[in-house]
Amino acid sequence: MSGWINKKRDHGNLLFLDLRDNYGLTQCVIENKDPNFKEIEKLPLEAVVKFNGKVLERSKDTINKDLNTGEIEISIISYEVLGATKELPLPIFSDQEYAEEIRLKYRFLDLRRKKIHQNIILRSKVISFIRSEMERLGFLEFQTPILTSSSPEGARDFLVPSRLNPGKFYALPQAPQQFKQLIMVSGFDKYFQIAPCFRDEDARADRSPGEFYQLDVEMSFVEQQDVFEVIEKLMTSVFKKFSNKKLLYEKFPKITFSEAMLKYGTDKPDLRNPLSISEFTEIFKRDDVSFEIFKNLVKKGAIVRGIITKNTKDKPRSFFDGIDKWAKEQGASGLAYFTIEKDSEIKGKGPVGKFFSSESIREIMKISKAEVGDSIFLACGKTNEVEKILSQARDKIGDELKLINYNSYAFCWIVDYPMFEEDEKTKKIIFSHNPFSMPQGDIKKLDFSKPLEIKAYQYDIVCNGVELSSGAIRNHIPELMYKLFSIAGYDKKLVDEKFSGMINALSYGAPPHGGIAPGIDRIIMLLAGEKNIREVTMFPMNQNAQDLMMGAPSEIDEKLLKELNLSVKKNK
RNA sequence: GGGGGUGUAGCUCAGUUGGUUAGAGCGAUCGCCUGUCACGCGAUAGGUCGAGGGUUCGAGUCCCUUCACUCCCGCCA
């Protein structure tokens, strides 16, 4: 048996060694009467060795139930060192947390550790299963180019200089978006790919810098619902196979974008959380409400929304103040709160309760289905500010009140995204999501004079508050595409120039088509129960997009630069 | 680009109000130990307290600057 020395237990005249390989641990044993004893005793942890020996059944009282191989052990007869080791920069056998820097620099050692080793194995199995499921559903896997052209919309591109075309650059694909549409125009009707995607944007815990993988899917002659059915089938089978956690919905609920923003304050709601947001702005226009701070803000155009918590009348003051304090730490102006009580009359108890008449509280209860004994947290401000803080408050309060079943998965679809939105700074009309999406409604009757009212066949799939993917039914009609691009400030010439391949292809008989591209890394994160994408990525870069193990990015030899017709301008 | 957190031995961490020689566990090295499975026991080595500057009789501890890692905002069609 060959493997790494995981742990030694040296009794002086009797030595146990746990030998580790990809599959687990096996205890090996040797006694001091063996001539090899002294040498084996000195072997360092993590040396790679081959032991020849006898497999022995362990006596009943020495069986280790925690090991798969705990009923046997190997009595060592001879050995060979296959790979020596220096002193280790981090221990392998412990479950302790280590600094990322050292883990990433010695990733090959880190990957020997049990948890991350299992995560990577899980990743392999999930991807393999997805492939076979997609094939079973009739999809074909194709590869698309890695060296392609830069696209004007979307994220920052990674660029690759062209030696043969001095001064020109390839871009790495942000996603195979245009290619998968071209595949549909080419007459293939069900495509998928485990596709590498490259975006030069800043990292987050759930976002690798630079590169990540999508399950890229596209289908022709389909409507939105056809895409949903394929993905629902796939996700339920993947999540059932690789997790024991409960799926709250097998038919994923559909929530419109505007409803999601109102009820949850975000377009990626965690539906494991039963709390929802209600709209109360009108309450603050009543004469029998005297909460002047909010009333004055409402007069200036602010809105008021709030979250009802059920039966929280007995919660200590510290709970409510804690939430208010937390909200201020998040940069909001805080959350006003009171609890609905009743003696002879309905009234509000708490710092701002006295500002509300019985009648106004009755109205609040009607709007939000609140009852006596419930409490209400209120936020006031601009729409996007209120949405943001209440969205966070929903997670925070749900967690504190233990309302969230963390042992479950709640999928949903967010649908009916607007085609356009107004840029906050420039006040220009821009594509709110994907410029290639098909607008909803009768295309001949679309009112292009009110672009902000146009909805798109554009959708997101969300699980446990994690955005897994967005997708769309595509716009396959060139004239309509020119029209939509012109609203976003691209004239025909520019569209022809920037999207020549696409627009040209759509002019030669393009089928209606659509698709989606769920993030593989995030699916694995959800399945592995990890909060950080590096825990499910074999060789990740750090937050500054550096590979500490390989030393990337690095400076480049002058000769190579010259061949590429490039010179580097040094700062300072 | 902005805000927060962290940085002390190879690794994980403790270090009180600024006060004597900066500690523990794991790991390493050496010794003892025949049924452990986080084996046990004893000893030794190992420190620019991230770096630079300042305050002070005295700084791991206080102040300033800076670097690294990380979390968040911006950004991510």
Coordinates of all heavy atoms in Angstrom, one line a residue, chain B residues 37-65:
Chain B
rC37 P -5.9 6.9 21.9 OP1 -5.8 8.3 22.5 OP2 -6.9 6.0 22.4 O5' -6.1 7.1 20.3 C5' -5.4 8.1 19.6 C4' -5.7 7.9 18.1 O4' -5.3 6.5 17.8 C3' -7.1 8.0 17.7 O3' -7.4 9.3 17.4 C2' -7.2 7.1 16.4 O2' -6.8 7.8 15.3 C1' -6.2 6.0 16.7 N1 -6.8 4.8 17.2 C2 -7.2 3.9 16.2 O2 -7.0 4.2 15.0 N3 -7.7 2.7 16.5 C4 -7.8 2.4 17.8 N4 -8.3 1.2 18.2 C5 -7.4 3.3 18.9 C6 -6.9 4.5 18.5
rA38 P -8.6 10.1 17.8 OP1 -9.0 9.9 19.2 OP2 -9.6 9.9 16.8 O5' -8.1 11.6 17.7 C5' -7.3 11.9 16.5 C4' -6.1 12.8 16.9 O4' -6.6 14.0 17.4 C3' -5.3 12.1 18.0 O3' -3.9 12.4 17.7 C2' -5.7 12.8 19.3 O2' -4.7 12.9 20.2 C1' -6.0 14.2 18.7 N9 -6.9 15.0 19.5 C8 -7.9 14.6 20.3 N7 -8.6 15.5 20.9 C5 -7.9 16.6 20.5 C6 -8.2 18.0 20.8 N6 -9.1 18.4 21.6 N1 -7.3 18.9 20.2 C2 -6.4 18.5 19.4 N3 -6.1 17.2 19.1 C4 -6.9 16.4 19.7
rC39 P -2.9 11.2 17.4 OP1 -1.5 11.7 17.2 OP2 -3.6 10.3 16.5 O5' -2.9 10.4 18.8 C5' -1.9 10.7 19.8 C4' -2.3 10.0 21.1 O4' -1.9 8.6 21.0 C3' -1.6 10.5 22.3 O3' -2.2 11.6 22.8 C2' -1.7 9.3 23.2 O2' -3.1 9.2 23.7 C1' -1.5 8.1 22.3 N1 -0.1 7.8 22.3 C2 0.4 7.0 23.3 O2 -0.3 6.6 24.2 N3 1.8 6.7 23.4 C4 2.6 7.1 22.4 N4 3.8 6.7 22.5 C5 2.1 7.9 21.3 C6 0.8 8.2 21.3
rG40 P -1.2 12.8 23.4 OP1 -2.1 13.9 23.8 OP2 -0.1 13.0 22.5 O5' -0.6 12.1 24.7 C5' -1.4 11.7 25.8 C4' -0.6 11.0 26.8 O4' 0.0 9.8 26.2 C3' 0.6 11.8 27.3 O3' 0.2 12.7 28.3 C2' 1.5 10.6 27.9 O2' 1.0 10.1 29.1 C1' 1.2 9.6 26.8 N9 2.2 9.7 25.7 C8 2.1 10.1 24.4 N7 3.2 10.1 23.7 C5 4.1 9.6 24.6 C6 5.5 9.3 24.4 O6 6.2 9.5 23.4 N1 6.1 8.8 25.5 C2 5.5 8.6 26.7 N2 6.2 8.1 27.7 N3 4.2 8.8 26.9 C4 3.6 9.3 25.8
rC41 P 1.0 14.1 28.4 OP1 0.3 14.9 29.4 OP2 1.3 14.6 27.1 O5' 2.4 13.6 29.0 C5' 2.5 13.0 30.3 C4' 3.9 12.6 30.6 O4' 4.3 11.5 29.7 C3' 5.0 13.6 30.4 O3' 5.0 14.5 31.5 C2' 6.2 12.7 30.4 O2' 6.6 12.3 31.6 C1' 5.7 11.6 29.5 N1 6.0 11.8 28.1 C2 7.3 11.6 27.6 O2 8.1 11.1 28.4 N3 7.6 11.8 26.3 C4 6.7 12.3 25.5 N4 7.0 12.5 24.2 C5 5.3 12.6 25.9 C6 5.1 12.3 27.2
rG42 P 5.5 16.1 31.2 OP1 5.2 16.8 32.4 OP2 4.8 16.5 29.9 O5' 7.0 16.0 31.0 C5' 7.9 15.6 32.0 C4' 9.3 15.4 31.5 O4' 9.3 14.4 30.5 C3' 9.9 16.6 30.8 O3' 10.3 17.6 31.7 C2' 11.1 15.9 30.1 O2' 12.1 15.6 31.0 C1' 10.4 14.6 29.7 N9 9.9 14.7 28.3 C8 8.6 14.9 27.8 N7 8.6 15.0 26.5 C5 9.9 14.9 26.1 C6 10.4 14.9 24.8 O6 9.9 15.0 23.7 N1 11.8 14.7 24.8 C2 12.6 14.6 25.9 N2 13.9 14.4 25.8 N3 12.1 14.5 27.2 C4 10.7 14.7 27.2
rA43 P 10.4 19.2 31.2 OP1 10.8 20.0 32.3 OP2 9.2 19.5 30.4 O5' 11.7 19.1 30.1 C5' 13.0 19.1 30.6 C4' 14.0 18.9 29.5 O4' 13.5 17.8 28.7 C3' 14.2 20.0 28.5 O3' 15.0 21.0 29.0 C2' 14.8 19.2 27.4 O2' 16.1 18.9 27.6 C1' 14.0 17.9 27.4 N9 12.8 18.0 26.5 C8 11.5 18.1 26.8 N7 10.7 18.2 25.7 C5 11.6 18.1 24.6 C6 11.4 18.0 23.2 N6 10.2 18.1 22.7 N1 12.5 17.9 22.5 C2 13.7 17.8 23.0 N3 14.0 17.8 24.3 C4 12.9 18.0 25.1
rU44 P 14.8 22.5 28.5 OP1 15.7 23.4 29.3 OP2 13.4 22.8 28.4 O5' 15.4 22.4 27.0 C5' 16.8 22.1 26.8 C4' 17.1 22.0 25.3 O4' 16.3 20.9 24.8 C3' 16.7 23.2 24.5 O3' 17.7 24.2 24.5 C2' 16.6 22.6 23.1 O2' 17.9 22.3 22.5 C1' 15.9 21.2 23.4 N1 14.5 21.3 23.3 C2 13.9 21.2 22.0 O2 14.6 21.1 21.0 N3 12.6 21.3 21.9 C4 11.7 21.4 23.0 O4 10.5 21.4 22.8 C5 12.3 21.5 24.3 C6 13.7 21.4 24.4
rA45 P 17.3 25.7 24.3 OP1 18.4 26.6 24.7 OP2 15.9 26.0 24.9 O5' 17.1 25.8 22.7 C5' 18.3 25.6 21.9 C4' 17.8 25.4 20.4 O4' 16.9 24.3 20.4 C3' 17.1 26.5 19.8 O3' 17.9 27.5 19.3 C2' 16.2 25.9 18.7 O2' 17.0 25.6 17.6 C1' 15.9 24.5 19.4 N9 14.6 24.6 20.1 C8 14.3 24.8 21.4 N7 13.0 24.7 21.6 C5 12.4 24.5 20.4 C6 11.1 24.3 20.0 N6 10.0 24.4 20.8 N1 10.8 24.1 18.7 C2 11.9 24.0 17.8 N3 13.2 24.2 18.1 C4 13.4 24.4 19.4
rG46 P 17.6 29.0 19.3 OP1 18.6 29.8 18.6 OP2 17.2 29.4 20.7 O5' 16.2 29.1 18.4 C5' 16.3 28.9 17.0 C4' 14.9 28.8 16.4 O4' 14.2 27.8 17.1 C3' 14.1 30.0 16.7 O3' 14.3 31.0 15.6 C2' 12.7 29.5 16.6 O2' 12.2 29.3 15.2 C1' 12.8 28.1 17.2 N9 12.5 28.1 18.6 C8 13.3 28.3 19.7 N7 12.6 28.2 20.9 C5 11.3 27.9 20.5 C6 10.2 27.7 21.3 O6 10.1 27.7 22.5 N1 9.1 27.4 20.5 C2 9.1 27.3 19.2 N2 7.9 27.0 18.6 N3 10.1 27.5 18.4 C4 11.2 27.8 19.1
rG47 P 14.8 32.5 16.0 OP1 15.3 33.1 14.8 OP2 15.6 32.4 17.2 O5' 13.4 33.2 16.4 C5' 12.3 33.1 15.6 C4' 11.5 34.4 15.8 O4' 10.7 34.3 17.0 C3' 12.3 35.7 15.9 O3' 11.7 36.7 15.0 C2' 12.1 36.1 17.4 O2' 12.1 37.5 17.6 C1' 10.7 35.5 17.7 N9 10.5 35.1 19.1 C8 11.4 35.2 20.1 N7 10.9 34.8 21.3 C5 9.6 34.6 21.0 C6 8.5 34.2 21.8 O6 8.6 34.0 23.0 N1 7.3 34.0 21.1 C2 7.2 34.2 19.8 N2 6.0 34.0 19.3 N3 8.2 34.6 19.0 C4 9.3 34.8 19.7
rU48 P 12.7 37.2 13.8 OP1 11.9 37.0 12.6 OP2 14.0 36.6 14.0 O5' 12.8 38.8 14.0 C5' 13.0 39.4 15.3 C4' 12.8 40.8 15.2 O4' 13.8 41.4 14.3 C3' 11.4 41.2 14.6 O3' 11.0 42.5 15.2 C2' 11.7 41.5 13.1 O2' 10.8 42.3 12.5 C1' 13.1 42.1 13.3 N1 13.9 42.0 12.1 C2 14.0 43.1 11.3 O2 13.5 44.1 11.5 N3 14.8 42.9 10.1 C4 15.5 41.8 9.8 O4 16.1 41.8 8.7 C5 15.3 40.7 10.7 C6 14.6 40.8 11.8
rC49 P 10.2 42.6 16.4 OP1 9.6 44.0 16.4 OP2 11.0 42.2 17.6 O5' 9.0 41.6 16.2 C5' 8.1 41.7 15.2 C4' 6.7 41.2 15.6 O4' 6.9 40.6 16.9 C3' 5.6 42.2 15.7 O3' 4.4 41.6 15.3 C2' 5.5 42.5 17.2 O2' 4.3 42.9 17.6 C1' 5.9 41.1 17.8 N1 6.4 41.1 19.1 C2 5.5 40.8 20.2 O2 4.3 40.5 19.9 N3 5.9 40.8 21.4 C4 7.1 41.1 21.7 N4 7.5 41.2 23.0 C5 8.1 41.5 20.7 C6 7.6 41.5 19.4
rG50 P 3.4 42.4 14.4 OP1 3.4 43.9 14.8 OP2 2.2 41.6 14.4 O5' 4.0 42.4 12.9 C5' 4.6 41.2 12.4 C4' 5.0 41.5 11.0 O4' 3.9 41.7 10.1 C3' 5.8 42.8 10.8 O3' 7.2 42.6 11.1 C2' 5.6 43.1 9.3 O2' 6.4 42.2 8.5 C1' 4.2 42.7 9.2 N9 3.3 43.9 9.4 C8 2.3 44.0 10.4 N7 1.7 45.2 10.3 C5 2.3 45.8 9.3 C6 2.0 47.1 8.7 O6 1.2 48.0 9.1 N1 2.9 47.4 7.7 C2 3.8 46.5 7.1 N2 4.5 47.0 6.1 N3 4.1 45.3 7.6 C4 3.3 45.0 8.7
rA51 P 8.0 43.8 11.8 OP1 9.3 43.3 12.2 OP2 7.2 44.5 12.8 O5' 8.2 44.8 10.6 C5' 9.0 44.5 9.5 C4' 9.0 45.6 8.5 O4' 7.7 45.9 8.0 C3' 9.4 47.0 9.1 O3' 10.8 47.1 9.2 C2' 8.8 48.0 8.2 O2' 9.5 48.1 6.9 C1' 7.5 47.3 7.9 N9 6.4 47.7 8.8 C8 5.9 47.0 9.9 N7 4.9 47.6 10.5 C5 4.8 48.8 9.8 C6 4.0 49.9 10.0 N6 3.1 50.0 11.0 N1 4.1 50.9 9.2 C2 5.0 50.9 8.2 N3 5.9 49.9 7.9 C4 5.7 48.9 8.8
rG52 P 11.5 48.0 10.4 OP1 12.9 47.9 10.3 OP2 10.8 47.7 11.6 O5' 11.1 49.5 10.0 C5' 11.6 50.1 8.8 C4' 11.0 51.5 8.6 O4' 9.6 51.3 8.3 C3' 11.1 52.4 9.7 O3' 12.3 53.0 9.9 C2' 10.0 53.4 9.4 O2' 10.4 54.3 8.3 C1' 8.9 52.5 8.8 N9 8.0 52.1 9.9 C8 7.9 50.9 10.6 N7 7.0 50.9 11.5 C5 6.3 52.1 11.3 C6 5.2 52.6 12.0 O6 4.5 52.1 12.9 N1 4.9 53.9 11.5 C2 5.6 54.6 10.5 N2 5.1 55.8 10.3 N3 6.6 54.1 9.9 C4 6.9 52.8 10.3
rG53 P 12.8 53.5 11.4 OP1 14.2 54.1 11.2 OP2 12.5 52.4 12.3 O5' 11.8 54.7 11.7 C5' 12.0 56.0 11.1 C4' 10.8 56.9 11.4 O4' 9.6 56.1 11.1 C3' 10.6 57.4 12.8 O3' 11.5 58.4 13.2 C2' 9.1 57.8 12.7 O2' 9.0 59.0 12.0 C1' 8.5 56.7 11.9 N9 8.0 55.6 12.8 C8 8.5 54.4 13.0 N7 7.8 53.7 13.9 C5 6.7 54.6 14.2 C6 5.6 54.4 15.1 O6 5.4 53.4 15.8 N1 4.8 55.6 15.2 C2 5.1 56.7 14.4 N2 4.2 57.7 14.6 N3 6.1 56.9 13.6 C4 6.9 55.8 13.5
rG54 P 11.9 58.5 14.7 OP1 12.9 59.6 14.9 OP2 12.2 57.1 15.2 O5' 10.5 58.9 15.5 C5' 10.0 60.3 15.2 C4' 8.7 60.4 15.8 O4' 7.8 59.3 15.5 C3' 8.6 60.4 17.3 O3' 9.0 61.7 17.9 C2' 7.1 60.1 17.6 O2' 6.3 61.3 17.3 C1' 6.8 59.1 16.5 N9 6.9 57.7 17.0 C8 7.9 56.8 16.7 N7 7.7 55.6 17.3 C5 6.5 55.8 18.0 C6 5.8 55.0 18.9 O6 6.0 53.8 19.2 N1 4.6 55.6 19.4 C2 4.3 56.9 19.1 N2 3.1 57.3 19.7 N3 4.9 57.7 18.3 C4 6.0 57.1 17.8
rU55 P 9.6 61.8 19.3 OP1 10.1 63.2 19.6 OP2 10.6 60.6 19.5 O5' 8.4 61.5 20.3 C5' 7.3 62.4 20.4 C4' 6.3 61.9 21.4 O4' 5.7 60.7 20.8 C3' 6.8 61.5 22.7 O3' 7.0 62.6 23.6 C2' 5.7 60.5 23.2 O2' 4.6 61.2 23.7 C1' 5.4 59.8 21.9 N1 6.1 58.5 21.7 C2 5.6 57.4 22.4 O2 4.6 57.5 23.1 N3 6.3 56.3 22.2 C4 7.5 56.1 21.5 O4 8.0 55.0 21.4 C5 7.9 57.3 20.8 C6 7.2 58.5 21.0
rU56 P 8.4 62.8 24.4 OP1 8.3 64.1 25.1 OP2 9.5 62.6 23.5 O5' 8.3 61.6 25.4 C5' 7.3 61.5 26.4 C4' 7.4 60.2 27.1 O4' 7.1 59.1 26.1 C3' 8.7 59.8 27.6 O3' 9.0 60.5 28.9 C2' 8.6 58.3 27.7 O2' 7.9 57.9 28.9 C1' 7.8 58.0 26.5 N1 8.6 57.5 25.4 C2 8.8 56.2 25.2 O2 8.4 55.4 26.0 N3 9.6 55.8 24.2 C4 10.2 56.7 23.3 O4 10.9 56.2 22.4 C5 9.9 58.1 23.5 C6 9.2 58.4 24.5
rC57 P 10.5 61.0 29.1 OP1 10.4 61.7 30.4 OP2 11.0 61.7 27.9 O5' 11.4 59.7 29.3 C5' 12.8 59.8 29.4 C4' 13.3 58.5 29.9 O4' 12.9 58.2 31.2 C3' 12.8 57.3 29.1 O3' 13.4 57.0 27.9 C2' 13.0 56.1 30.1 O2' 14.3 55.7 30.2 C1' 12.6 56.9 31.4 N1 11.2 56.7 31.9 C2 10.8 55.5 32.3 O2 11.6 54.5 32.4 N3 9.5 55.4 32.7 C4 8.7 56.4 32.6 N4 7.4 56.2 33.0 C5 9.1 57.7 32.2 C6 10.4 57.8 31.8
rG58 P 12.6 56.6 26.6 OP1 13.6 56.4 25.5 OP2 11.5 57.6 26.5 O5' 12.1 55.2 27.0 C5' 12.9 54.1 27.1 C4' 12.2 52.9 27.6 O4' 11.6 53.2 28.9 C3' 11.0 52.4 26.8 O3' 11.4 51.6 25.7 C2' 10.2 51.6 27.8 O2' 10.7 50.3 28.0 C1' 10.4 52.5 29.1 N9 9.3 53.4 29.3 C8 9.3 54.8 29.1 N7 8.2 55.4 29.4 C5 7.4 54.3 29.9 C6 6.0 54.4 30.3 O6 5.3 55.3 30.5 N1 5.6 53.1 30.6 C2 6.3 51.9 30.5 N2 5.7 50.8 30.9 N3 7.6 51.9 30.1 C4 8.0 53.1 29.8
rA59 P 10.6 51.7 24.3 OP1 11.2 50.8 23.4 OP2 10.4 53.1 24.0 O5' 9.1 51.1 24.7 C5' 9.0 49.7 25.2 C4' 7.8 49.1 24.4 O4' 6.7 49.9 24.6 C3' 8.0 48.9 22.9 O3' 7.3 47.8 22.5 C2' 7.3 50.2 22.4 O2' 6.9 50.0 21.1 C1' 6.2 50.3 23.4 N9 5.6 51.6 23.5 C8 6.2 52.8 23.1 N7 5.4 53.9 23.3 C5 4.3 53.3 23.9 C6 3.1 53.9 24.4 N6 2.8 55.2 24.4 N1 2.2 53.1 24.9 C2 2.4 51.7 24.9 N3 3.5 51.1 24.5 C4 4.4 51.9 24.0
rG60 P 8.1 46.4 22.5 OP1 8.3 45.9 23.8 OP2 9.3 46.5 21.5 O5' 7.1 45.4 21.7 C5' 6.7 45.6 20.3 C4' 5.4 45.0 20.0 O4' 5.2 43.8 20.8 C3' 4.2 45.9 20.5 O3' 3.9 46.9 19.6 C2' 3.1 44.9 20.8 O2' 2.4 44.6 19.6 C1' 3.9 43.7 21.2 N9 3.9 43.5 22.7 C8 5.0 43.6 23.5 N7 4.7 43.4 24.8 C5 3.4 43.2 24.8 C6 2.5 42.9 25.9 O6 2.8 42.8 27.1 N1 1.2 42.7 25.5 C2 0.8 42.8 24.1 N2 -0.5 42.6 23.9 N3 1.6 43.1 23.1 C4 2.9 43.2 23.5
rU61 P 3.5 48.4 20.0 OP1 3.0 49.0 18.8 OP2 4.6 48.9 20.8 O5' 2.2 48.1 21.0 C5' 1.0 47.6 20.5 C4' 0.0 47.5 21.6 O4' 0.7 46.6 22.6 C3' -0.4 48.8 22.3 O3' -1.7 48.8 22.6 C2' 0.5 48.8 23.6 O2' -0.2 49.5 24.6 C1' 0.6 47.3 23.9 N1 1.8 47.0 24.6 C2 1.7 46.4 25.9 O2 0.6 46.2 26.4 N3 2.9 46.2 26.5 C4 4.2 46.5 26.1 O4 5.1 46.2 26.8 C5 4.2 47.0 24.7 C6 3.0 47.3 24.1
rC62 P -2.7 49.6 21.6 OP1 -4.1 49.4 22.1 OP2 -2.3 49.2 20.2 O5' -2.3 51.1 21.8 C5' -2.9 51.9 22.8 C4' -2.5 53.3 22.7 O4' -1.2 53.5 23.2 C3' -2.4 53.8 21.3 O3' -3.6 54.2 20.7 C2' -1.4 55.0 21.4 O2' -2.0 56.1 22.0 C1' -0.5 54.4 22.5 N1 0.8 53.8 21.9 C2 1.7 54.6 21.3 O2 1.6 55.9 21.3 N3 2.8 54.1 20.8 C4 3.0 52.7 20.9 N4 4.1 52.2 20.3 C5 2.0 51.9 21.4 C6 0.9 52.5 21.9
rC63 P -3.8 54.2 19.2 OP1 -5.3 54.5 18.9 OP2 -3.2 53.0 18.6 O5' -3.0 55.5 18.6 C5' -3.4 56.8 19.0 C4' -2.5 57.8 18.3 O4' -1.1 57.6 18.8 C3' -2.3 57.6 16.8 O3' -3.3 58.2 16.1 C2' -0.9 58.2 16.6 O2' -1.0 59.6 16.5 C1' -0.1 57.8 17.8 N1 0.6 56.6 17.6 C2 1.9 56.7 17.0 O2 2.2 57.8 16.5 N3 2.6 55.5 16.8 C4 2.2 54.4 17.3 N4 2.9 53.3 17.1 C5 0.9 54.3 18.0 C6 0.2 55.4 18.1
rC64 P -3.7 57.5 14.6 OP1 -4.9 58.2 14.2 OP2 -3.7 56.1 14.7 O5' -2.5 58.0 13.7 C5' -2.3 59.4 13.4 C4' -1.0 59.5 12.6 O4' 0.1 59.1 13.3 C3' -1.0 58.7 11.3 O3' -1.7 59.3 10.2 C2' 0.5 58.6 11.0 O2' 1.0 59.8 10.4 C1' 1.1 58.5 12.4 N1 1.3 57.1 12.8 C2 2.5 56.5 12.3 O2 3.2 57.1 11.6 N3 2.7 55.2 12.7 C4 1.9 54.5 13.5 N4 2.2 53.3 13.8 C5 0.7 55.1 14.0 C6 0.4 56.4 13.6
rU65 P -2.4 58.3 9.1 OP1 -3.2 59.1 8.2 OP2 -3.0 57.1 9.8 O5' -1.1 57.8 8.3 C5' -0.3 58.7 7.5 C4' 0.9 58.1 7.0 O4' 1.7 57.6 8.1 C3' 0.7 56.8 6.2 O3' 0.4 57.1 4.8 C2' 2.1 56.1 6.3 O2' 3.1 56.8 5.5 C1' 2.4 56.4 7.7 N1 2.1 55.3 8.6 C2 2.9 54.2 8.6 O2 3.9 54.1 7.9 N3 2.5 53.1 9.4 C4 1.4 53.1 10.2 O4 1.2 52.1 10.9 C5 0.6 54.3 10.2 C6 0.9 55.3 9.4

